[in-house]
Amino acid sequence: MGTPRESRTNQAAEVVDRLEEAYPDSTISLRYSNRLELLIAVILSAQCTDERVNTETEHLFETYDGPEDYANAPQNELAEELNSITYYNNKAKYIRSACQTIVEEHDGEVPDTMDELTDLSGVGRKTANVVLQHGHDVVEGIVVDTHVQRLSRRLGLTEEEYPEPIEQELMELVPEGYWQQFTHLCIDHGRATCTARNPDCDDCVLADICPSEKGDSEIDLASGEPW
Ligand code: SF4
């Protein structure tokens, strides 16, 4: 078991420092070329890998151009285009409905406030945060996906279980200038080393400050269960 820094604020700062050094080019891995494509890619990425989404959106973005195209697409046709993606039927519905709202209420533009974004079908706070950060350069919060959730708990930054309270706690700990990057760093480390089932603690840059480190700790703080 590693020894965390004396306060959670210092622990968060140390985690950011070390992960920044380990992953200097960390950034979003979804591919898009405008705000609407970003919104659609993020909706599609719920419980699906970014890699799979990127493969599907390559032809999707060539076929459909602008919110009217999606809003007017027949449900079956759009769902068929997305059929290798998890929950493709529901996601096709969300995309059609969100695009309808964008056309009818926002002059065809992806809105730039948390309230307006979360009013769109299929858009929760996490999706809205990603679109605000990468589409509008507005950082209102911290995107808490499955990697951020797992690593924050393992590293002793939070004991909360669900994304929204975790985000509130992290916003108190992580310096505001790092709110966006914190997510990407956790995602990179979560994919490369601190994986859900079999983290490689022996080869982890955070091992000496991680209270879940497998060498000594019997408990995975992410799940609260023994390793
Ligand atoms: S890989 Fe192990 S030591 Fe590193 S952050 Fe994850 S649980 Fe902690």
Side-chain angles (χ1 to χ4, degrees):
M1 174 172 158
T3 308
R5 292 290 184 254
E6 61 283 6
S7 71
R8 284 183 174 179
T9 311
N10 291 355
Q11 176 80 343
E14 188 66 28
V15 166
V16 168
D17 270 2
R18 292 191 191 189
L19 293 185
E20 266 211 314
E21 207 175 317
Y23 308 98
D25 301 320
S26 192
T27 187
I28 188 166
S29 54
L30 290 170
R31 287 202 212 107
Y32 59 93
S33 63
N34 57 50
R35 287 172 185 151
L36 183 66
E37 289 184 1
L38 171 63
L39 173 67
I40 289 169
V42 184
I43 290 175
L44 293 175
S45 72
Q47 297 181 45
C48 188
T49 64
D50 289 358
E51 209 180 340
R52 163 72 55 197
V53 172
N54 286 338
T55 307
E56 284 293 324
T57 53
E58 205 173 325
H59 63 84
L60 185 76
F61 294 160
E62 279 174 13
T63 312
Y64 299 88
D65 184 24
E68 291 88 356
D69 273 9
Y70 292 98
N72 296 329
Q75 168 67 21
N76 290 352
E77 184 188 296
L78 188 58
E80 194 52 37
E81 286 278 351
L82 302 171
N83 69 9
S84 75
I85 292 196
T86 44
Y87 309 117
Y88 62 91
N89 252 319
N90 280 341
K91 289 177 182 176
K93 276 186 208 151
Y94 292 150
I95 290 169
R96 290 173 64 242
S97 166
C99 284
Q100 216 160 357
T101 309
I102 288 172
V103 170
E104 287 168 6
E105 296 177 22
H106 301 287
D107 291 329
E109 300 293 330
V110 175
D112 62 358
T113 67
M114 180 63 78
D115 284 348
E116 288 172 316
L117 280 166
T118 51
D119 275 349
L120 300 175
S121 293
V123 179
R125 194 175 160 90
K126 185 183 88 175
T127 299
N129 262 327
V130 179
V131 173
L132 285 174
Q133 291 180 8
H134 293 277
H136 295 287
D137 279 332
V138 172
V139 182
E140 273 197 23
I142 296 178
V143 176
V144 178
D145 75 343
T146 180
H147 297 287
V148 176
Q149 193 171 5
R150 182 174 73 254
L151 266 72
S152 301
R153 287 176 55 83
R154 278 186 180 159
L155 288 161
L157 295 173
T158 182
E159 288 170 20
E160 295 289 350
E161 289 182 33
Y162 296 103
E164 292 202 8
I166 290 176
E167 181 186 0
Q168 295 311 315
E169 284 214 341
L170 290 176
M171 285 163 70
E172 301 284 320
L173 302 175
V174 176
E176 200 170 338
Y178 288 96
W179 283 3
Q180 181 169 326
Q181 205 54 10
F182 182 78
T183 300
H184 298 309
L185 293 170
C186 286
I187 292 173
D188 279 352
H189 196 55
R191 285 179 179 152
T193 306
C194 192
T195 55
R197 297 217 177 124
N198 193 21
D200 187 2
C201 299
D202 287 343
D203 193 28
C204 176
V205 293
L206 304 172
D208 62 305
I209 58 165
C210 176
S212 299
E213 195 269 326
K214 282 197 286 187
D216 293 315
S217 172
E218 288 176 6
I219 303 285
D220 171 6
L221 291 176
S223 63
E225 303 286 326
W227 286 114

